[in-house]
Amino acid sequence: MSSLFSGVDDLQRRLEKADYLVDRGLATALYLAATIPQPILLEGEAGVGKTEAAKSLAKIIETPLFRLQCYEGIDVAGALYEWNYPRQLLSIRVAEASNRDVSEASLFGLENLIERPLLQALRHRGPRSAVLLIDEVDRADDEFEAFLFELLAESTVTIPEIGTLNADFPPIAVLTSNRTRDLHDALKRRCLYHWIDYPDVEHAARIVRRRVPAASDPLTRQAVLAVNKLRRLDLQKQPGVAETIDWVAALHLLGAQALDRTTAEGAIGSVLKYREDIELAREHMAEWLPANT
C-alpha cells in the first residue's frame, strides 16, 4: 500500500492548499486511486474540474504529470512511441560513409525511441509514481480503448524491436470522459469510477474566490448564482466551473463590483461560447440576472 497520504482527510487538505477544492466523494475516489493503486475514470460535463483533478494530484504528490490528449484517430505512434527516423537515417549514412555495417539493434534501440506520454509514464524512474492523465478518452476509438485496457492492466508494454518494458513505478492513471459516447465495460471494470457534478452555489463560490481572490464577494456570489440559473436554459454548451472563474476574472478586470446587465454583457463571451447561447441568454436576462439590476 502507498504511504502518499495518511488518509482521505490528508489528501483533501493538501488539495485545498493547492487551490483545488473537492467534496468528500471525489477526495475518497482519488485517495483510493493513488493508494490501491487503480486507474480512475472521472466523468462529468466539460468544465467541472476533471483534468484539474489529475493536475492537482500530481502537484501535491510532487511528481511529474504526463498528459495524453485523446482525439479521433489517435494511434500508438501518437500515444506510446515512434521511431526517430531522421536519426536512424543519419546513422545509416554515417555508417555507409565509413564503410561500416549498421546493426538493426543499434537502429532500433532506446536511444532512437521517441517516447510519447504513455511510455514516458511507464518508464518514469521515481521516486514516486507519475500521474498519467488520459484526457477525453471518449474521443478515441474502440481499438485504442482496448489497447489502453491492456496497458493499464499490467503497466507493461511490448515493443517488437526491443521487447517488453515493465514499469518500475506504475503510474497513477486518471482517465477523463465527457461522455460523448459510452466506454466499454471492460475498461470501466478495470477502473474506479467517479462522476463529478456541477458544485452547488456555496462550493462553487469558494472555488471562484480561491482562483479570483481580488474580485468582490458580491460579484463572485452573483456570478455563481447567474451561472447556476443559466444552466437551466436550453444552451448548446452548459458553462462549467472553469467558465465561471473566467467570467469573474474578466468582470473584475473590467472594474465590476457587482453584476448588472451592462457588466454581464460586457464579458459574456467568457462564460458562453456559442452565438445562439449568447442570444438566448440575452432574451432571458430577467431569469438569471440579480433581481435588483
Side-chain angles (χ1 to χ4, degrees), residues 66-69 78-80 115-122 132:
F66 297 104
R67 178 180 182 178
L68 174 66
Q69 177 62 54
L80 188 63
E115 298 182 359
R116 298 307 185 197
L118 294 181
L119 190 57
Q120 288 176 322
L122 289 178
L132 171 59

Side-chain angles (χ1 to χ4, degrees), residues 214-216 219 247-260 262-264 266-267:
S216 72
L219 176 64
W247 197 31
V248 173
L251 291 169
H252 170 69
L253 186 63
L254 293 172
Q257 294 298 310
L259 192 65
D260 57 31
T262 301
T263 57

Side-chain angles (χ1 to χ4, degrees), residues 106-171:
S106 65
L107 287 177
F108 293 96
L110 289 173
E111 65 277 4
N112 287 329
L113 200 64
I114 299 175
E115 298 182 359
R116 298 307 185 197
L118 294 181
L119 190 57
Q120 288 176 322
L122 289 178
R123 299 196 68 224
H124 173 62
R125 299 306 182 192
R128 301 179 185 89
S129 295
V131 173
L132 171 59
L133 170 59
I134 303 174
D135 224 357
E136 298 184 318
V137 66
D138 51 321
R139 290 178 176 267
D141 57 25
D142 294 347
E143 183 178 351
F144 187 76
E145 192 177 322
F147 163 73
L148 276 181
F149 171 75
E150 293 182 6
L151 182 141
L152 294 174
E154 303 296 335
S155 289
T156 62
V157 64
T158 298
I159 299 175
E161 297 87 349
I162 294 176
T164 300
L165 301 177
N166 300 291
D168 294 330
F169 295 87

Side-chain angles (χ1 to χ4, degrees), residues 281-293:
R282 284 173 174 158
E283 291 173 9
H284 295 269
M285 274 192 155
E287 297 177 26
W288 56 271
L289 275 178
N292 60 345
T293 61

Side-chain angles (χ1 to χ4, degrees), residues 205-227:
R206 287 185 63 214
I207 294 171
V208 174
R209 288 189 190 103
R210 281 297 187 96
R211 297 304 179 93
V212 197
S216 72
D217 281 345
L219 176 64
T220 295
R221 183 165 183 81
Q222 289 170 355
V224 168
L225 282 167
V227 169

Side-chain angles (χ1 to χ4, degrees), residues 18-255:
D19 291 333
Y20 185 68
L21 307 184
V22 298
D23 58 26
R24 185 73 177 184
L26 179 54
T28 301
L30 292 174
Y31 173 75
L32 292 174
T35 304
I36 293 175
Q38 186 176 356
I40 182 170
L41 172 61
L42 300 178
E43 285 195 328
E45 301 295 337
V48 295
K50 302 183 296 295
T51 298
E52 196 64 29
K55 292 180 178 179
S56 299
L57 185 61
K59 182 178 180 179
I60 65 174
I61 296 174
E62 298 181 334
T63 195
L65 171 79
F66 297 104
R67 178 180 182 178
L68 174 66
Q69 177 62 54
C70 295
Y71 53 87
E72 186 177 351
I74 189 172
D75 57 11
V76 173
L80 188 63
Y81 75 92
E82 62 179 324
W83 293 107
N84 189 334
Y85 296 114
R87 183 169 176 174
Q88 289 173 319
L89 183 59
L90 179 61
S91 297
I92 292 172
R93 288 177 174 173
V94 169
E96 289 176 345
S98 305
N99 293 318
R100 292 186 290 104
D101 292 329
V102 58
S103 67
E104 184 175 336
S106 65
L107 287 177
F108 293 96
L110 289 173
E111 65 277 4
N112 287 329
L113 200 64
I114 299 175
E115 298 182 359
R116 298 307 185 197
L118 294 181
L119 190 57
Q120 288 176 322
L122 289 178
R123 299 196 68 224
H124 173 62
R125 299 306 182 192
R128 301 179 185 89
S129 295
V131 173
L132 171 59
L133 170 59
I134 303 174
D135 224 357
E136 298 184 318
V137 66
D138 51 321
R139 290 178 176 267
D141 57 25
D142 294 347
E143 183 178 351
F144 187 76
E145 192 177 322
F147 163 73
L148 276 181
F149 171 75
E150 293 182 6
L151 182 141
L152 294 174
E154 303 296 335
S155 289
T156 62
V157 64
T158 298
I159 299 175
E161 297 87 349
I162 294 176
T164 300
L165 301 177
N166 300 291
D168 294 330
F169 295 87
I172 301 168
V174 179
L175 292 76
T176 75
S177 167
N178 293 332
R179 213 172 184 178
T180 58
R181 69 173 179 86
D182 289 332
L183 303 177
H184 281 286
D185 288 342
L187 183 64
K188 284 193 170 184
R189 283 196 301 268
R190 180 72 186 89
C191 299
L192 295 165
Y193 179 84
H194 188 79
W195 174 269
I196 302 181
D197 209 345
Y198 292 120
D200 60 31
V201 171
E202 293 302 325
H203 189 60
R206 287 185 63 214
I207 294 171
V208 174
R209 288 189 190 103
R210 281 297 187 96
R211 297 304 179 93
V212 197
S216 72
D217 281 345
L219 176 64
T220 295
R221 183 165 183 81
Q222 289 170 355
V224 168
L225 282 167
V227 169
N228 193 51
K229 292 176 181 178
L230 278 168
R231 295 191 190 116
R232 301 173 192 172
L233 301 178
D234 187 23
L235 301 175
Q236 294 190 43
K237 167 70 170 62
Q238 297 285 334
V241 178
E243 287 83 8
T244 309
I245 293 169
D246 290 344
W247 197 31
V248 173
L251 291 169
H252 170 69
L253 186 63
L254 293 172

